[in-house]
Amino acid sequence: MSVVITVATTGPIATKADNPALPTAPEEIAEAVHDSYLAGASVAHIHLRDEHQRPTADLKTARLVMDLIADRCPILIQLSTGVGLDVPFEEREQLVELRPRMATLNPCSMSFGAGEFRNPPAGVRRLAARMRELGVKPELEIYDSGHLDECLRLLDEGLLEQPMQFSIVLGVRGGMAPTAANLVSMVAGLPDDAVWQVIAVGRANLNLTAIGLAIGGNARAGLEDSLYLGKGKLAPDNAALVKRAVNLAQGLDLEVADVAQALHRFGLGRSQTKTTDAVL
Ligand code: KMH
Ligand code: ZN
């Protein structure tokens, strides 16, 4: 079976002061996604920034970024509904109205570094129901074992469909520590047919991504999760981090999925339409 590599180009926190290669303007994000697609990514996890590099859920910006990406390549677009810690949930959830092929669904509120990540139970259920109505595949970001339990509750409530797609997030302060033991115990608790990847934030990014690939997961790469390519060496761009993940997969004798294989892996049929086709 092939492994899907997702590129996470931008994220909600770092700025160009942390790594000048961080893409924040719409054209920069689209170019970074295209380069990453050429390097082997078949999914693009997208955060938007305003002209001051602040996270935004502005629909016009989102539509522009989605269209700039669709003009360049057929990569599957996964919009972040996490957006950024200071953006209200009620604005974040509107992004799915653009009908990206996938979007994140963060099931629980939590401390997140020095801030708070607000995902109230009623809002999460409203968003899950809307995603299901619109045919937007949820990428379930779980930062702790209780978050997995909450996703299984959402499944029981009929708000999620199988196969469920999980990201096991390790290394956020407020969530699980980035250890192999935490990863293995989370994987053991997933439903049998679940599709999953590791999101390892910070220093443990390389090691935990490698372990995830070795034990049956997909991989995520990009400046959202790691600003560095090696010890003390800033990544020159997102594509370099994607190439590193491709090399890891190939070193483990794993085929890297193209877009068609990724769609199949996620149990999805049709491919991306431009947002201008979406009814707003
Ligand atoms: N950077 C991630 C760990 C989302 O995209 O929905 C948190 C996040 C959530 O950005
Ligand atoms: Zn994100």
Coordinates of all heavy atoms in Angstrom, one line a residue, residues 47-131:
H47 N -3.3 26.8 6.1 CA -3.7 27.9 7.0 C -3.5 29.2 6.2 O -2.6 29.3 5.3 CB -2.7 28.0 8.2 CG -2.9 27.0 9.2 ND1 -3.6 27.2 10.4 CD2 -2.6 25.7 9.2 CE1 -3.6 26.1 11.1 NE2 -3.0 25.1 10.4
L48 N -4.3 30.2 6.5 CA -4.3 31.5 5.8 C -3.8 32.6 6.7 O -4.0 32.5 7.9 CB -5.8 31.8 5.4 CG -6.4 30.7 4.7 CD1 -8.0 30.8 4.8 CD2 -6.0 30.7 3.2
R49 N -3.1 33.5 6.1 CA -2.6 34.7 6.9 C -3.1 36.0 6.3 O -3.3 36.0 5.0 CB -1.1 34.7 6.9 CG -0.5 33.4 7.5 CD -0.7 33.3 9.0 NE 0.0 32.1 9.6 CZ 1.2 32.2 10.2 NH1 1.9 33.3 10.2 NH2 1.7 31.1 10.6
D50 N -3.3 37.0 7.1 CA -3.6 38.3 6.5 C -2.3 39.0 6.1 O -1.2 38.5 6.2 CB -4.5 39.2 7.5 CG -3.7 39.6 8.7 OD1 -2.5 39.5 8.8 OD2 -4.4 40.0 9.7
E51 N -2.4 40.3 5.7 CA -1.2 41.0 5.2 C -0.2 41.3 6.3 O 0.9 41.7 6.0 CB -1.6 42.3 4.4 CG -2.3 43.3 5.2 CD -3.9 43.1 5.3 OE1 -4.3 41.9 5.1 OE2 -4.6 44.0 5.5
H52 N -0.6 41.1 7.6 CA 0.3 41.3 8.7 C 0.8 39.9 9.2 O 1.3 39.8 10.3 CB -0.3 42.1 9.8 CG -0.9 43.4 9.4 ND1 -0.1 44.4 9.0 CD2 -2.2 43.8 9.3 CE1 -0.8 45.5 8.7 NE2 -2.1 45.1 8.8
Q53 N 0.6 38.9 8.4 CA 1.0 37.5 8.8 C 0.1 36.9 9.9 O 0.5 35.8 10.4 CB 2.5 37.4 9.2 CG 3.4 37.8 8.1 CD 4.9 37.5 8.5 OE1 5.2 36.3 8.8 NE2 5.7 38.5 8.5
R54 N -1.0 37.6 10.3 CA -1.8 37.0 11.3 C -2.8 36.0 10.8 O -3.3 36.1 9.7 CB -2.6 38.1 12.0 CG -1.8 39.0 12.9 CD -2.7 40.1 13.4 NE -3.5 40.8 12.4 CZ -3.7 42.1 12.3 NH1 -3.2 42.9 13.2 NH2 -4.4 42.6 11.3
P55 N -3.0 34.8 11.5 CA -4.0 33.8 11.0 C -5.3 34.5 10.8 O -5.8 35.3 11.5 CB -4.1 32.9 12.2 CG -2.8 33.0 13.0 CD -2.4 34.5 12.8
T56 N -6.0 34.0 9.7 CA -7.3 34.6 9.4 C -8.2 33.5 8.8 O -7.7 32.5 8.2 CB -7.2 35.7 8.3 OG1 -8.5 36.2 8.0 CG2 -6.4 35.3 7.1
A57 N -9.5 33.6 9.0 CA -10.5 32.7 8.4 C -11.2 33.5 7.3 O -12.3 33.1 6.9 CB -11.4 32.2 9.5
D58 N -10.6 34.5 6.8 CA -11.3 35.3 5.7 C -11.6 34.5 4.5 O -10.7 33.8 3.9 CB -10.4 36.5 5.4 CG -10.9 37.3 4.3 OD1 -12.0 37.9 4.5 OD2 -10.3 37.4 3.2
L59 N -12.9 34.4 4.1 CA -13.3 33.5 3.1 C -12.7 33.9 1.7 O -12.4 33.1 0.9 CB -14.8 33.5 3.0 CG -15.5 32.8 4.2 CD1 -17.0 32.7 4.0 CD2 -15.0 31.3 4.4
K60 N -12.6 35.2 1.5 CA -12.0 35.7 0.2 C -10.6 35.2 0.1 O -10.2 34.8 -1.0 CB -12.1 37.2 0.1 CG -13.3 37.8 -0.5 CD -13.1 39.2 -0.8 CE -14.4 39.8 -1.2 NZ -14.5 41.2 -0.9
T61 N -9.8 35.3 1.1 CA -8.4 34.9 1.1 C -8.4 33.4 0.9 O -7.6 32.9 0.1 CB -7.7 35.2 2.4 OG1 -8.0 36.6 2.7 CG2 -6.2 34.9 2.4
A62 N -9.3 32.7 1.6 CA -9.3 31.2 1.4 C -9.6 30.8 0.0 O -9.0 29.9 -0.6 CB -10.3 30.6 2.4
R63 N -10.6 31.4 -0.6 CA -11.1 31.1 -1.9 C -9.9 31.4 -2.9 O -9.6 30.6 -3.8 CB -12.3 31.9 -2.3 CG -12.9 31.5 -3.6 CD -13.8 32.5 -4.2 NE -14.8 33.0 -3.3 CZ -16.1 32.8 -3.5 NH1 -16.5 32.2 -4.6 NH2 -16.9 33.3 -2.7
L64 N -9.2 32.5 -2.7 CA -8.1 32.9 -3.6 C -7.0 31.8 -3.5 O -6.5 31.3 -4.5 CB -7.6 34.3 -3.2 CG -6.3 34.7 -3.9 CD1 -6.6 34.8 -5.4 CD2 -5.8 36.1 -3.4
V65 N -6.6 31.4 -2.3 CA -5.6 30.5 -2.1 C -6.0 29.1 -2.8 O -5.2 28.5 -3.5 CB -5.2 30.3 -0.6 CG1 -4.3 29.1 -0.4 CG2 -4.6 31.5 -0.1
M66 N -7.2 28.7 -2.5 CA -7.7 27.4 -3.1 C -7.6 27.5 -4.6 O -7.2 26.5 -5.3 CB -9.1 27.1 -2.6 CG -9.2 26.7 -1.2 SD -10.9 26.5 -0.6 CE -11.3 25.0 -1.4
D67 N -8.0 28.6 -5.2 CA -8.0 28.7 -6.7 C -6.6 28.8 -7.2 O -6.3 28.2 -8.3 CB -8.9 29.9 -7.1 CG -10.4 29.6 -7.0 OD1 -10.7 28.4 -6.8 OD2 -11.2 30.5 -7.0
L68 N -5.8 29.5 -6.5 CA -4.3 29.6 -7.0 C -3.7 28.2 -7.0 O -2.9 27.9 -7.9 CB -3.5 30.6 -6.1 CG -3.9 32.1 -6.3 CD1 -3.1 32.9 -5.2 CD2 -3.5 32.6 -7.7
I69 N -4.0 27.4 -6.0 CA -3.5 26.1 -5.9 C -4.1 25.2 -7.0 O -3.3 24.5 -7.8 CB -3.8 25.4 -4.5 CG1 -3.0 26.2 -3.4 CG2 -3.4 23.9 -4.5 CD1 -3.4 25.8 -2.0
A70 N -5.4 25.3 -7.2 CA -6.1 24.5 -8.2 C -5.6 24.8 -9.6 O -5.5 24.0 -10.5 CB -7.6 24.6 -8.1
D71 N -5.2 26.1 -9.8 CA -4.7 26.5 -11.1 C -3.3 25.8 -11.4 O -2.9 25.7 -12.5 CB -4.4 28.0 -11.2 CG -5.7 28.8 -11.3 OD1 -6.7 28.1 -11.7 OD2 -5.8 30.0 -11.1
R72 N -2.6 25.5 -10.3 CA -1.2 25.0 -10.5 C -1.1 23.4 -10.5 O -0.3 22.9 -11.2 CB -0.3 25.5 -9.3 CG 0.1 27.0 -9.5 CD 0.6 27.5 -8.2 NE 1.2 28.9 -8.4 CZ 0.4 30.0 -8.5 NH1 -0.9 29.9 -8.5 NH2 1.0 31.1 -8.7
C73 N -2.0 22.8 -9.7 CA -1.8 21.3 -9.6 C -3.1 20.7 -8.9 O -3.9 21.4 -8.3 CB -0.6 21.0 -8.7 SG -0.6 21.6 -7.1
P74 N -3.2 19.4 -9.1 CA -4.5 18.7 -8.6 C -4.3 18.2 -7.2 O -5.1 17.3 -6.7 CB -4.6 17.5 -9.6 CG -3.2 17.2 -10.0 CD -2.4 18.5 -9.9
I75 N -3.4 18.7 -6.4 CA -3.2 18.3 -5.0 C -4.6 18.4 -4.3 O -5.4 19.3 -4.5 CB -2.1 19.1 -4.3 CG1 -1.6 18.4 -3.1 CG2 -2.6 20.5 -4.0 CD1 -0.2 19.0 -2.6
L76 N -4.8 17.5 -3.3 CA -6.0 17.6 -2.5 C -5.9 18.7 -1.4 O -4.9 18.7 -0.7 CB -6.3 16.2 -1.9 CG -6.4 15.1 -2.9 CD1 -6.5 13.7 -2.1 CD2 -7.6 15.3 -3.8
I77 N -6.9 19.5 -1.4 CA -6.8 20.7 -0.4 C -7.5 20.3 0.9 O -8.7 19.9 0.9 CB -7.4 21.9 -1.0 CG1 -6.5 22.4 -2.3 CG2 -7.4 23.1 0.0 CD1 -7.0 23.6 -3.0
Q78 N -6.8 20.5 2.0 CA -7.3 20.2 3.3 C -7.2 21.6 4.0 O -6.1 22.0 4.4 CB -6.5 19.2 4.0 CG -6.9 18.9 5.4 CD -5.8 18.0 6.0 OE1 -4.8 18.5 6.6 NE2 -5.9 16.7 5.9
L79 N -8.4 22.3 4.2 CA -8.3 23.6 4.9 C -8.3 23.3 6.4 O -9.0 22.5 6.9 CB -9.6 24.4 4.6 CG -9.7 25.2 3.2 CD1 -10.9 26.1 3.3 CD2 -8.4 26.0 3.0
S80 N -7.4 24.1 7.0 CA -7.4 24.0 8.5 C -8.6 24.8 9.0 O -8.8 26.0 8.7 CB -6.2 24.7 9.1 OG -6.3 24.9 10.4
T81 N -9.5 24.2 9.9 CA -10.5 24.9 10.6 C -10.0 25.3 12.0 O -10.7 25.9 12.8 CB -11.8 24.1 10.7 OG1 -11.6 22.9 11.5 CG2 -12.4 23.8 9.4
G82 N -8.7 24.9 12.3 CA -8.1 25.3 13.5 C -7.7 26.8 13.4 O -7.8 27.6 14.4
V83 N -7.3 27.2 12.2 CA -7.0 28.6 11.8 C -5.9 29.2 12.7 O -4.8 29.4 12.2 CB -8.2 29.5 11.7 CG1 -7.8 30.9 11.3 CG2 -9.2 28.9 10.8
G84 N -6.2 29.6 13.9 CA -5.3 30.2 14.8 C -6.0 30.4 16.1 O -7.2 30.5 16.2
L85 N -5.2 30.5 17.2 CA -5.8 30.5 18.5 C -6.7 31.7 18.8 O -7.6 31.7 19.6 CB -4.7 30.4 19.6 CG -3.8 29.2 19.5 CD1 -2.8 29.3 20.7 CD2 -4.6 27.9 19.6
D86 N -6.4 32.9 18.1 CA -7.2 34.1 18.4 C -8.4 34.3 17.5 O -9.1 35.3 17.6 CB -6.3 35.3 18.3 CG -5.2 35.3 19.4 OD1 -5.5 34.7 20.5 OD2 -4.1 35.8 19.1
V87 N -8.6 33.3 16.6 CA -9.8 33.5 15.7 C -11.0 32.7 16.3 O -10.8 31.5 16.6 CB -9.4 32.9 14.3 CG1 -10.6 33.1 13.3 CG2 -8.1 33.6 13.8
P88 N -12.1 33.4 16.4 CA -13.3 32.7 17.0 C -13.7 31.5 16.3 O -13.7 31.4 15.0 CB -14.4 33.8 17.0 CG -13.7 35.1 16.8 CD -12.4 34.8 16.1
F89 N -14.2 30.5 17.0 CA -14.7 29.2 16.4 C -15.7 29.5 15.3 O -15.7 28.9 14.3 CB -15.2 28.3 17.5 CG -15.6 26.9 17.0 CD1 -14.7 25.9 17.0 CD2 -16.8 26.6 16.4 CE1 -15.0 24.6 16.5 CE2 -17.1 25.4 15.9 CZ -16.2 24.4 16.0
E90 N -16.6 30.4 15.6 CA -17.7 30.7 14.7 C -17.2 31.2 13.3 O -17.9 31.1 12.3 CB -18.7 31.7 15.3 CG -19.4 31.2 16.6 CD -18.5 31.0 17.8 OE1 -17.4 31.6 17.9 OE2 -18.9 30.2 18.7
E91 N -16.1 31.9 13.3 CA -15.5 32.3 12.0 C -14.8 31.1 11.4 O -14.8 30.9 10.2 CB -14.4 33.4 12.2 CG -15.1 34.8 12.5 CD -14.0 35.8 12.7 OE1 -12.9 35.8 12.0 OE2 -14.2 36.7 13.5
R92 N -14.1 30.3 12.2 CA -13.3 29.2 11.7 C -14.2 28.2 10.9 O -13.8 27.7 9.9 CB -12.5 28.5 12.8 CG -11.4 29.4 13.4 CD -11.0 29.0 14.8 NE -11.0 27.5 15.0 CZ -11.1 26.9 16.2 NH1 -11.2 27.6 17.3 NH2 -11.2 25.6 16.3
E93 N -15.3 27.9 11.5 CA -16.2 26.9 10.9 C -16.8 27.3 9.6 O -17.1 26.4 8.8 CB -17.3 26.5 11.9 CG -18.3 27.5 12.2 CD -19.4 27.1 13.2 OE1 -19.9 26.0 13.1 OE2 -19.7 27.9 14.1
Q94 N -16.8 28.6 9.3 CA -17.3 29.0 8.0 C -16.5 28.5 6.8 O -17.0 28.4 5.7 CB -17.4 30.5 7.9 CG -18.4 31.1 8.9 CD -19.8 30.6 8.7 OE1 -20.3 30.4 7.6 NE2 -20.5 30.2 9.8
L95 N -15.2 28.2 7.0 CA -14.3 27.8 5.9 C -14.8 26.6 5.2 O -14.6 26.5 4.0 CB -12.9 27.6 6.5 CG -12.2 28.9 6.8 CD1 -11.0 28.6 7.7 CD2 -11.7 29.6 5.5
V96 N -15.6 25.7 5.8 CA -16.0 24.5 5.1 C -17.0 24.8 4.0 O -17.3 24.0 3.1 CB -16.5 23.4 6.0 CG1 -15.4 22.9 7.0 CG2 -17.7 23.8 6.8
E97 N -17.7 26.0 4.1 CA -18.6 26.4 3.1 C -18.0 26.5 1.7 O -18.7 26.5 0.7 CB -19.3 27.8 3.5 CG -20.1 27.7 4.8 CD -21.1 26.6 4.9 OE1 -21.8 26.4 3.9 OE2 -21.3 26.0 6.0
L98 N -16.7 26.7 1.7 CA -15.9 26.7 0.4 C -15.8 25.3 -0.2 O -15.2 25.1 -1.3 CB -14.6 27.4 0.6 CG -14.6 28.8 1.0 CD1 -13.2 29.4 1.2 CD2 -15.3 29.6 -0.1
R99 N -16.2 24.3 0.5 CA -16.2 22.9 0.1 C -14.8 22.4 -0.3 O -14.6 21.9 -1.5 CB -17.1 22.7 -1.1 CG -18.5 23.0 -0.7 CD -19.5 22.7 -1.8 NE -20.8 23.2 -1.5 CZ -21.9 22.6 -1.8 NH1 -21.9 21.5 -2.5 NH2 -23.1 23.2 -1.5
P100 N -13.8 22.6 0.6 CA -12.5 21.9 0.3 C -12.7 20.4 0.3 O -13.7 20.0 0.8 CB -11.6 22.4 1.4 CG -12.6 22.6 2.6 CD -13.8 23.2 1.9
R101 N -11.8 19.7 -0.3 CA -12.0 18.2 -0.4 C -11.9 17.6 1.1 O -12.6 16.7 1.4 CB -10.9 17.6 -1.2 CG -11.2 16.2 -1.7 CD -12.4 16.3 -2.7 NE -13.1 15.0 -2.9 CZ -14.0 14.5 -2.0 NH1 -14.3 15.1 -0.9 NH2 -14.7 13.4 -2.3
M102 N -11.1 18.3 1.9 CA -10.9 17.9 3.3 C -10.8 19.1 4.2 O -10.4 20.2 3.7 CB -9.7 17.1 3.5 CG -9.5 15.9 2.6 SD -7.8 15.2 2.9 CE -7.7 14.2 1.4
A103 N -11.0 18.9 5.5 CA -10.8 20.0 6.4 C -10.5 19.4 7.8 O -10.9 18.3 8.0 CB -12.0 21.0 6.5
T104 N -9.8 20.1 8.6 CA -9.5 19.6 9.9 C -10.7 19.7 10.8 O -11.5 20.6 10.6 CB -8.3 20.3 10.6 OG1 -8.6 21.7 10.8 CG2 -7.0 20.2 9.8
L105 N -10.8 18.8 11.7 CA -11.8 18.8 12.8 C -11.1 18.5 14.1 O -10.5 17.4 14.2 CB -12.9 17.8 12.5 CG -14.1 17.9 13.5 CD1 -14.9 19.2 13.4 CD2 -15.1 16.7 13.3
N106 N -11.0 19.5 14.9 CA -10.3 19.4 16.2 C -11.4 19.1 17.3 O -12.2 20.0 17.5 CB -9.5 20.7 16.5 CG -8.4 20.9 15.6 OD1 -7.3 20.4 15.7 ND2 -8.7 21.7 14.5
P107 N -11.4 17.9 17.9 CA -12.6 17.5 18.6 C -12.8 18.1 20.0 O -13.9 18.1 20.5 CB -12.4 16.0 18.8 CG -10.9 15.8 18.7 CD -10.4 16.8 17.7
C108 N -11.7 18.7 20.6 CA -11.8 19.1 22.0 C -11.0 20.4 22.2 O -10.1 20.7 21.5 CB -11.1 18.1 22.9 SG -12.0 16.5 22.9
S109 N -11.4 21.2 23.2 CA -10.7 22.4 23.6 C -9.5 21.9 24.4 O -9.5 20.8 25.0 CB -11.6 23.3 24.5 OG -12.6 23.8 23.8
M110 N -8.5 22.8 24.5 CA -7.2 22.4 25.2 C -6.4 23.6 25.4 O -6.5 24.6 24.7 CB -6.5 21.3 24.4 CG -6.0 21.8 23.1 SD -5.3 20.5 22.0 CE -3.7 20.4 22.8
S111 N -5.4 23.5 26.4 CA -4.3 24.5 26.4 C -3.4 24.2 25.2 O -3.3 23.0 24.8 CB -3.5 24.3 27.7 OG -4.3 24.6 28.8
F112 N -2.9 25.2 24.7 CA -2.0 25.1 23.4 C -0.9 26.0 23.6 O -1.0 27.2 23.4 CB -2.9 25.4 22.2 CG -2.4 24.9 20.9 CD1 -3.0 23.8 20.3 CD2 -1.3 25.5 20.3 CE1 -2.5 23.4 19.0 CE2 -0.8 25.1 19.1 CZ -1.4 24.0 18.5
G113 N 0.3 25.5 24.1 CA 1.4 26.4 24.4 C 0.9 27.3 25.5 O 0.3 26.9 26.5
A114 N 1.1 28.6 25.3 CA 0.7 29.6 26.2 C -0.7 30.1 26.0 O -1.3 30.9 26.8 CB 1.6 30.8 26.2
G115 N -1.4 29.5 25.0 CA -2.7 30.0 24.7 C -3.8 28.9 24.9 O -3.5 27.8 25.5
E116 N -5.0 29.2 24.4 CA -6.1 28.2 24.5 C -6.6 27.9 23.1 O -6.8 28.9 22.3 CB -7.2 28.8 25.3 CG -7.0 28.9 26.8 CD -8.1 29.6 27.5 OE1 -9.1 29.9 26.9 OE2 -7.8 30.0 28.7
F117 N -7.0 26.7 22.9 CA -7.5 26.3 21.6 C -9.0 25.9 21.9 O -9.2 24.9 22.5 CB -6.7 25.1 21.0 CG -7.0 24.7 19.6 CD1 -7.6 25.6 18.7 CD2 -6.6 23.5 19.1 CE1 -7.8 25.3 17.4 CE2 -6.8 23.1 17.8 CZ -7.4 24.0 16.9
R118 N -9.9 26.7 21.4 CA -11.3 26.6 21.8 C -12.1 25.8 20.7 O -12.2 26.2 19.6 CB -11.9 28.0 21.9 CG -13.2 28.0 22.7 CD -13.8 29.4 22.9 NE -15.2 29.3 23.0 CZ -16.1 29.4 22.0 NH1 -15.6 29.7 20.8 NH2 -17.4 29.2 22.2
N119 N -12.5 24.6 21.1 CA -13.3 23.7 20.3 C -14.5 23.2 21.1 O -14.5 22.0 21.6 CB -12.5 22.6 19.7 CG -11.4 23.1 18.9 OD1 -11.6 23.6 17.8 ND2 -10.1 23.0 19.3
P120 N -15.5 24.0 21.3 CA -16.6 23.6 22.2 C -17.5 22.5 21.7 O -17.6 22.4 20.5 CB -17.5 24.9 22.4 CG -17.1 25.7 21.2 CD -15.7 25.4 20.7
P121 N -18.0 21.6 22.6 CA -18.7 20.4 22.1 C -19.8 20.7 21.1 O -19.9 20.0 20.1 CB -19.2 19.8 23.4 CG -18.3 20.3 24.5 CD -17.8 21.7 24.0
A122 N -20.6 21.8 21.4 CA -21.7 22.0 20.5 C -21.2 22.5 19.1 O -21.8 22.1 18.1 CB -22.7 23.1 21.1
G123 N -20.2 23.3 19.1 CA -19.6 23.8 17.9 C -19.0 22.7 17.1 O -19.1 22.6 15.8
V124 N -18.3 21.8 17.7 CA -17.7 20.7 17.0 C -18.7 19.8 16.4 O -18.6 19.4 15.2 CB -16.8 19.8 18.0 CG1 -16.4 18.5 17.4 CG2 -15.6 20.6 18.5
R125 N -19.8 19.6 17.1 CA -20.9 18.8 16.5 C -21.6 19.5 15.3 O -21.9 18.9 14.3 CB -22.0 18.4 17.6 CG -21.5 17.3 18.4 CD -22.1 17.1 19.7 NE -21.6 15.9 20.4 CZ -20.4 15.8 20.9 NH1 -19.6 16.9 21.0 NH2 -20.0 14.7 21.4
R126 N -21.7 20.8 15.4 CA -22.3 21.6 14.3 C -21.4 21.5 13.1 O -21.8 21.3 12.0 CB -22.5 23.0 14.8 CG -23.2 23.9 13.9 CD -23.6 25.3 14.6 NE -22.4 26.0 14.9 CZ -22.0 26.4 16.2 NH1 -22.8 26.1 17.2 NH2 -20.9 27.1 16.4
L127 N -20.1 21.7 13.3 CA -19.1 21.6 12.2 C -19.1 20.2 11.6 O -19.1 20.1 10.4 CB -17.8 22.1 12.8 CG -16.6 22.0 11.8 CD1 -16.9 22.8 10.5 CD2 -15.3 22.6 12.4
A128 N -19.1 19.2 12.4 CA -19.0 17.8 11.9 C -20.2 17.6 11.0 O -20.1 17.0 9.9 CB -18.9 16.8 13.1
A129 N -21.4 18.0 11.5 CA -22.6 17.7 10.8 C -22.6 18.5 9.4 O -23.0 18.0 8.4 CB -23.8 18.2 11.6
R130 N -22.1 19.7 9.4 CA -22.0 20.5 8.2 C -21.0 19.9 7.2 O -21.3 19.8 6.0 CB -21.6 22.0 8.6 CG -21.7 22.9 7.4 CD -23.1 23.1 6.9 NE -23.2 24.0 5.7 CZ -24.0 23.9 4.7 NH1 -24.9 22.9 4.7 NH2 -24.0 24.7 3.7
M131 N -19.9 19.4 7.7 CA -18.9 18.8 6.9 C -19.5 17.6 6.2 O -19.3 17.3 5.0 CB -17.7 18.4 7.7 CG -16.8 19.6 8.0 SD -15.5 19.3 9.2 CE -14.3 18.7 8.1

